[in-house]
Amino acid sequence: MDGKEVAVKRLFLNTRQWADQFFNEVDLISQVRHKNLVKLLGCSMNGPESLLVYEYYFNKSLDLFLFGKAMM
């Protein structure tokens, strides 16, 4: 990789229904582009554990990106 920091969300999928929902969510998230949403960079599914890899904003709050400093 390029040394970029990322945020990783770990999920445990123990049923087929959860796995189907995971794939639907990944498909939807990967198609959405909006200035207030972090970008999905990738995903991995290995056994019951799945990972979603997102852009990472160091020491920042989503509120700051959504509302600016005036709301803090």
Side-chain angles (χ1 to χ4, degrees), residues 3-4 9 12-13 17 20-23 25-26 30 36-37 39 42 46-47 55 58-59 62 65-66:
K4 183 185 209 180
K9 181 177 181 180
F12 293 95
L13 308 174
Q17 181 181 3
D20 289 342
Q21 289 174 356
F22 172 80
F23 285 118
E25 184 172 343
V26 167
S30 66
N36 294 330
L37 296 175
K39 184 177 175 183
N46 188 12
E55 290 178 304
F58 178 74
N59 212 15
L62 182 58
F65 289 101
L66 292 177

Side-chain angles (χ1 to χ4, degrees), residues 5-70:
E5 290 189 60
V6 296
V8 178
K9 181 177 181 180
R10 260 173 82 179
L11 305 167
F12 293 95
L13 308 174
N14 58 9
T15 69
R16 180 68 187 161
Q17 181 181 3
W18 288 9
D20 289 342
Q21 289 174 356
F22 172 80
F23 285 118
N24 288 337
E25 184 172 343
V26 167
D27 187 45
L28 179 63
I29 291 171
S30 66
Q31 294 178 32
V32 174
R33 299 286 182 259
H34 191 277
K35 68 178 185 169
N36 294 330
L37 296 175
V38 292
K39 184 177 175 183
L40 178 67
L41 300 175
C43 66
S44 172
M45 187 171 179
N46 188 12
E49 181 180 72
S50 297
L51 304 173
L52 296 173
V53 181
Y54 291 95
E55 290 178 304
Y56 177 69
Y57 289 101
F58 178 74
N59 212 15
K60 300 286 183 177
S61 167
L62 182 58
D63 288 342
L64 177 65
F65 289 101
L66 292 177
F67 305 111
K69 291 184 180 186

